[in-house]
Amino acid sequence: MTPVTAEGEKATRRAGSARRAVVGRLSWGLADQAASSLTNFAVGIYVARSLGLTAFGAFSLAWVTYGVVLSVSRGLATDPLVVRFSGVPDGSWRPAVARSSGTALGVGAAVGAGCLVAGLAVGGPVGDAFACLGVVLPGLMLQDAWRYAFFAAGAGRKAFVNDVVWGAGLVPAMVVAARVGTVAAFVLAWGASAAVAAVYGAVQSGIRPRLTGARAWVRDHRDLGYRYLVENTCVSGASQLRAYGLGVIVGVGAVGAVRGAELLLGPFLAVLMGLSLVTVAEAARVLRRSPHRLGAFCLLLGGGQAVAALLWGAALLLMPDRLGELVLGDVWPSAAELILPATLGVAGAGLGTGAAAGLRALGAARRSLRAQLFTSACYVGGGLGGAAVGGVVGSAWGVAAATVGGSAVWWLHLRSGLREHHPDSSEVRTP
């Protein structure tokens, strides 16, 4: 055997090993999100069937607000961690995780205090839901921070186990909440079980969140963190504005109908969120090793998600009413009208996430921010404009059109970002 042949075989083995590693990490990301989304799906179904359309709408308003706070936490704490500390030595990863998790915990505590005060002031079922959300936000934020930390380290299995712990804790908590029968009880049950998983995450990692390191973390990564903060809150803030606007224009029940349609699309919303946990880290690895393959990698991710969402939506359209009522109860008739536009919206979002992962890996925060601002503005405009013209169904079609158009903008920005990129510009920082 010649030296050239031996070297070629070694290179082939290394390439095969690298591909298996990528598939393994992506698989753990999907498994983790499957566990998380199955938990969220079960909570949504259980609450919808237990409380009815209007009360479920109140619960959904708290849920959407949680999504906004989660976006703030990720933008300031975990997104910079994933971009700059994926695949780094343990000596760099551990202190970075201590500070980023402390930042997430601080965000939860600060915003939670505001939600508690606001909820007590508003009163009623909506106010009670917000007050209880304020109590549980710190645990919810910390639990999410551990997931991102584990994926940055390539330890997706730990994130999966943590979400399984959360799901196991939800079972008895939901049984107790059902006996109480209020929106507040369900919010507390959901958040308390997340707090159990958050404590277990500290055991898994052997790391204590450093609240005192939060200020330094935000300062050191402000070049990415502030832009990602705005970008993330554009996404969740747009959803929140649409939900609040729907409640005003159409009624709180419309918020419940939209959430019901999202539950039906849960498996592919799970794919979107599950891949988002690992795609940025994987795209960053592709960028370091084979920069010329980043575009194809992102297209494969986005196109695969879009096709899968369309197939699932087609199956939902063929689902008998009897089965839909079994799943969603009284929420089903309203949610069923939204399946087609909601499916198109999810497919558009799936296509766009491939480009978003590429821009984040490139560190092109300015470009990704521009794309997100455009998409979010269209989302709010389409959702509320459609609601004014055609109620909840009009809102769903407006959102679908906005999402598909926004996806095109994401890909235009990725194309420009790839042209501007120089292979030696990628960075890994130490804390």
Side-chain angles (χ1 to χ4, degrees):
M1 182 179 293
T2 66
V4 174
T5 302
E7 287 298 321
E9 289 185 357
K10 289 180 181 179
T12 300
R13 286 196 296 269
R14 285 195 298 268
S17 178
R19 283 193 295 269
R20 287 191 295 272
V22 170
V23 171
R25 288 190 293 267
L26 289 173
S27 297
W28 277 118
L30 290 173
D32 170 73
Q33 190 58 47
S36 176
S37 294
L38 181 61
T39 296
N40 291 339
F41 179 79
V43 169
I45 295 299
Y46 201 63
V47 175
R49 292 184 60 84
S50 299
L51 298 180
L53 185 62
T54 301
F56 183 57
F59 179 87
S60 298
L61 286 174
W63 187 286
V64 169
T65 304
Y66 150 75
V68 175
V69 184
L70 193 64
S71 296
V72 173
S73 176
R74 288 176 178 175
L76 293 177
T78 54
D79 282 343
L81 177 78
V82 171
V83 171
R84 288 179 167 155
F85 296 93
S86 290
V88 301
D90 194 62
S92 296
W93 176 80
R94 293 182 68 83
V97 170
R99 292 195 295 166
S100 66
S101 60
T103 303
L105 184 60
V107 168
V111 181
C115 287
L116 177 60
V117 172
L120 293 175
V122 171
V126 173
D128 292 344
F130 274 81
C132 293
L133 177 65
V135 173
V136 300
L137 271 176
L140 287 163
M141 297 303 105
L142 182 57
Q143 192 274 339
D144 186 73
W146 292 131
R147 297 171 69 206
Y148 275 75
F150 292 141
F151 279 110
R157 179 180 58 84
K158 290 185 177 180
F160 171 76
V161 172
N162 193 273
D163 271 325
V164 170
V165 169
W166 185 4
L170 263 172
V171 175
M174 283 289 140
V175 171
V176 174
R179 291 181 179 178
V180 177
T182 64
V183 175
F186 280 107
V187 174
L188 286 175
W190 165 57
S193 53
V196 173
V199 172
Y200 181 63
V203 175
Q204 287 177 292
S205 63
I207 298 172
R208 278 182 157 185
R210 283 183 54 200
L211 270 170
T212 56
R215 181 177 296 179
W217 177 264
V218 173
R219 183 187 65 242
D220 292 346
H221 302 282
R222 62 182 178 274
D223 57 324
L224 292 182
Y226 290 154
R227 287 195 176 99
Y228 289 156
L229 169 64
V230 176
E231 183 180 327
N232 290 353
T233 52
C234 281
V235 178
S236 54
S239 297
Q240 189 178 32
L241 287 174
R242 181 202 180 193
Y244 291 172
L246 271 177
V248 172
I249 296 170
V250 185
V252 176
V255 182
V258 170
R259 177 61 184 155
E262 290 174 352
L263 287 172
L264 293 172
L265 287 160
F268 288 98
L269 292 173
V271 171
L272 281 176
M273 292 182 288
L275 287 177
S276 71
L277 287 169
V278 291
T279 49
V280 176
E282 291 305 323
R285 290 185 176 95
V286 171
L287 182 64
R288 291 187 182 99
R289 296 171 183 170
S290 305
H292 61 285
R293 295 182 180 175
L294 181 60
F297 176 80
C298 294
L299 183 60
L300 180 63
L301 285 174
Q305 290 175 83
V307 170
L310 291 173
L311 291 174
W312 180 256
L316 287 176
L317 289 171
L318 298 175
M319 186 167 69
D321 288 339
R322 184 179 302 176
L323 181 57
E325 291 169 358
L326 178 65
V327 175
L328 291 180
D330 294 340
V331 179
W332 164 253
S334 300
E337 296 180 327
L338 310 181
I339 291 175
L340 179 57
T343 297
L344 295 176
V346 171
L351 185 61
T353 55
L359 283 173
R360 292 240 168 144
L362 289 167
R366 184 171 298 178
R367 285 196 170 278
S368 62
L369 177 58
R370 289 173 184 168
Q372 192 57 67
L373 286 171
F374 176 84
T375 302
S376 297
C378 290
Y379 182 96
V380 174
L384 296 186
V389 174
V392 66
V393 176
S395 178
W397 278 108
V399 165
T403 306
V404 173
S407 178
V409 172
W410 276 105
W411 279 99
L412 288 173
H413 275 285
L414 177 61
R415 182 182 179 185
S416 298
L418 289 171
R419 287 177 175 175
E420 296 167 356
H421 176 68
H422 297 286
D424 60 352
S425 65
S426 58
E427 64 172 332
V428 175
R429 293 189 178 184
T430 56

